[in-house]
Amino acid sequence: MLVTVTDAADKLGVNHQFVRKLIKSGELPAIHLNARAVRVRSEDLDAWIAGRESRGVA
């Protein structure tokens, strides 16, 4: 399932700018549908969260 940057931010409890920073840095994979539309696979988002939890970063 694909989620918007805003939905990903809501799930993480952060603002959309932080999610865009993660995408730009390559830390969070994303799919660019066009120049403006970006989506994140929910599996990638869950994996990013799990990686943070396994490192003890809240």
Side-chain angles (χ1 to χ4, degrees):
M1 175 180 192
L2 297 177
V3 298
T4 65
V5 170
T6 301
D7 290 339
D10 289 344
K11 184 170 183 173
L12 295 175
V14 299
N15 65 39
H16 67 92
Q17 293 164 328
F18 181 74
V19 174
R20 290 191 181 277
K21 180 180 170 186
L22 293 174
I23 293 168
K24 186 175 181 179
S25 73
E27 192 171 341
L28 182 63
I31 299 167
H32 297 267
L33 301 176
N34 60 38
R36 294 184 51 130
V38 179
R39 300 293 184 265
V40 177
R41 289 183 21 195
S42 56
E43 298 86 357
D44 292 333
L45 187 58
D46 292 340
W48 187 86
I49 293 168
R52 304 257 311 162
E53 289 172 350
S54 69
R55 291 191 308 250
V57 179

